[in-house]
Amino acid sequence: MAALPSPTPSPLRQGLLAAWPVALGYFPVAVAFGMAGAGAGLAPLAVQLLSLLVFAGASQFAFLGLLAEGASPWLAAGVALLLNLRHAFYGPALRPYLKGHPLLAFFLTDEVFAVALKFLPGLPQAARAGFFLGLGLGAYLAWNLGTSLGAFGAARLKGLPGAGEALSFALPALFLLLALPHLRNPVALGAGLLAFALHLLGQTAWGLVLAGVLGFLWRRP
Amino acid sequence: MTPILVLALGTFLLRYLPWLGERGPSPDQAGPALVVALFLVSAFGPPPSWLWAKTLAALWVVFLTWRLSRHLGLSVLLGMAAYALF
C-alpha cells in the first residue's frame, strides 16, 4: 500500500507551532505573576481573572505592584491602561493581513504582534486568520496556565536552582530574532534607540508609545 | 473586581478600535519600530551594568544558532542555556 502523503498542517496548527517560543517565554513570567498576585494579597481567582480577561503582562504586573503599594484599584487600573497605550499601534500594523477579523485583536500582546508581523506576510490570505488565532491561543494558554500554577500552587516553586535565570532570557532572545530583519531600517532603529533611551530613564512604556508614534509618522528614506 | 473588568475592557478597546477602522494613516514603520524597541528594552535593563556583557554574549549565541540552523525555538533555547551558564 502506498504511503499517504503527509498532510499540510492547518493554519491553526501552524499558528500553535509558531507560538511555542512565545509560550516558552510567557510561562515562567506568568508563574511569577501568579506568585506575585498571591504575595500582593489578591485572591487566586482574582489573579487568574486578570490573566484571563486582560492578557497583557506588563500592565498586569503594574496593576499588582500599585495595589501592593496601597494605591486604589482605580488608580492601578488607570496606570495599567496607560501602559497598554502602545497596543493601539499593533492593530493598524496587522490590519492589512487580517482584514475582517478585528476580534482577533484580543490576542495582540507585544510578543504575539512581533511573531505575527514576521510570519503573516509570507502566508496566503486564506490562512492568515487561522494562523493568527493559533498563535494567539498558544500564547494565551501558556500565560493562563502559568498564572494558575503561580497563583494556586506555588509556594513550592520558589527556589528551583538555575531555572529562573535561564527563563528570564527567553523573551529577549525571541525579540532579537524578530528584530533582526529591521535593524538596518533607519526609522525602526532610530525609534527603537529613542525608546531605549527613555527606558534607561525609567519611562519604558512611554518610550514604546513614542516608538510607535514615530514609526507611524515617519517614512522610510 | 470592577477595576479589573474596566482594565480588561479598556485594554481590549485599545487593541480593537484602531484595528476596526478601515481608513486612516498607514502604519508603515510602526511595526518594525516597535519590534526593535521591544528587543532593546527587554534585553537591557537599567542601569548599565556587567549584566549587559552577559546579555550580549548570550545574544551572540542566539544569533549564531539562528544563522546556522534558522530554527527559532532552538536558537531561543540555546540562548537561554548560554545565559544561565555565563
Side-chain angles (χ1 to χ4, degrees):
Chain A
M1 184 186 294
L4 289 170
S6 61
T8 307
S10 70
L12 183 76
R13 192 169 169 206
Q14 283 180 300
L16 282 168
L17 289 173
W20 85 263
V22 178
L24 190 71
Y26 273 9
F27 189 77
V29 182
V31 173
F33 172 74
M35 292 163 67
L42 239 60
L45 270 179
V47 178
Q48 187 68 59
L49 201 64
L50 270 167
S51 285
L52 282 169
L53 298 180
V54 179
F55 188 41
S59 67
Q60 290 182 219
F61 271 107
F63 184 80
L64 278 188
L66 285 164
L67 285 186
E69 292 298 321
S72 85
W74 288 107
L75 176 66
V79 171
L81 274 175
L82 275 181
L83 278 173
N84 287 339
L85 268 182
R86 67 188 186 281
H87 291 184
F89 294 101
Y90 295 164
L94 294 183
R95 191 174 58 213
Y97 309 110
L98 294 165
K99 275 184 180 169
H101 302 282
L103 286 176
L104 290 175
F106 175 75
F107 295 114
L108 267 183
T109 63
D110 300 331
E111 295 77 13
V112 167
F113 163 74
V115 173
L117 199 66
K118 179 179 177 64
F119 287 103
L120 286 178
L123 290 172
Q125 183 62 38
R128 286 171 175 165
F131 176 89
F132 187 84
L133 181 62
L135 175 63
L137 278 176
Y140 184 72
L141 287 174
W143 182 252
N144 278 283
L145 285 173
T147 301
S148 288
L149 190 60
F152 290 98
R156 297 175 191 174
L157 295 174
K158 288 182 179 171
L160 279 180
E165 196 171 15
L167 291 169
S168 72
F169 189 70
L171 291 180
L174 175 63
F175 276 132
L176 168 67
L177 298 177
L178 299 172
L180 275 178
H182 307 300
L183 290 178
R184 289 185 181 173
N185 171 343
V187 173
L189 189 59
L193 286 173
L194 196 58
F196 184 59
L198 285 172
H199 166 65
L200 293 181
L201 296 172
Q203 303 295 326
T204 305
W206 287 114
L208 291 172
V209 169
L210 187 62
V213 170
L214 291 176
F216 218 91
L217 297 178
W218 286 3
R219 292 290 175 268
R220 189 174 182 172
Chain B
M1 193 60 73
T2 313
I4 290 178
L5 295 177
V6 169
L7 174 58
L9 182 65
T11 300
F12 177 69
L13 290 177
L14 278 172
R15 293 166 172 168
Y16 174 78
L17 290 177
W19 187 322
L20 199 60
E22 285 299 317
R23 285 183 291 179
S26 158
D28 205 32
Q29 301 300 308
L34 279 165
V35 169
V36 172
L38 285 166
F39 159 60
L40 291 172
V41 304
S42 70
F44 303 102
S49 70
W50 67 272
L51 268 176
W52 284 20
K54 173 178 166 163
T55 301
L56 278 173
L59 288 172
W60 183 244
V61 171
V62 176
F63 175 72
L64 280 183
T65 311
W66 170 251
R67 286 294 297 269
L68 294 173
S69 70
R70 296 283 161 183
H71 193 288
L72 205 68
L74 180 66
S75 307
V76 170
L77 273 179
L78 284 183
M80 290 166 64
Y83 188 77
L85 289 173
F86 289 155

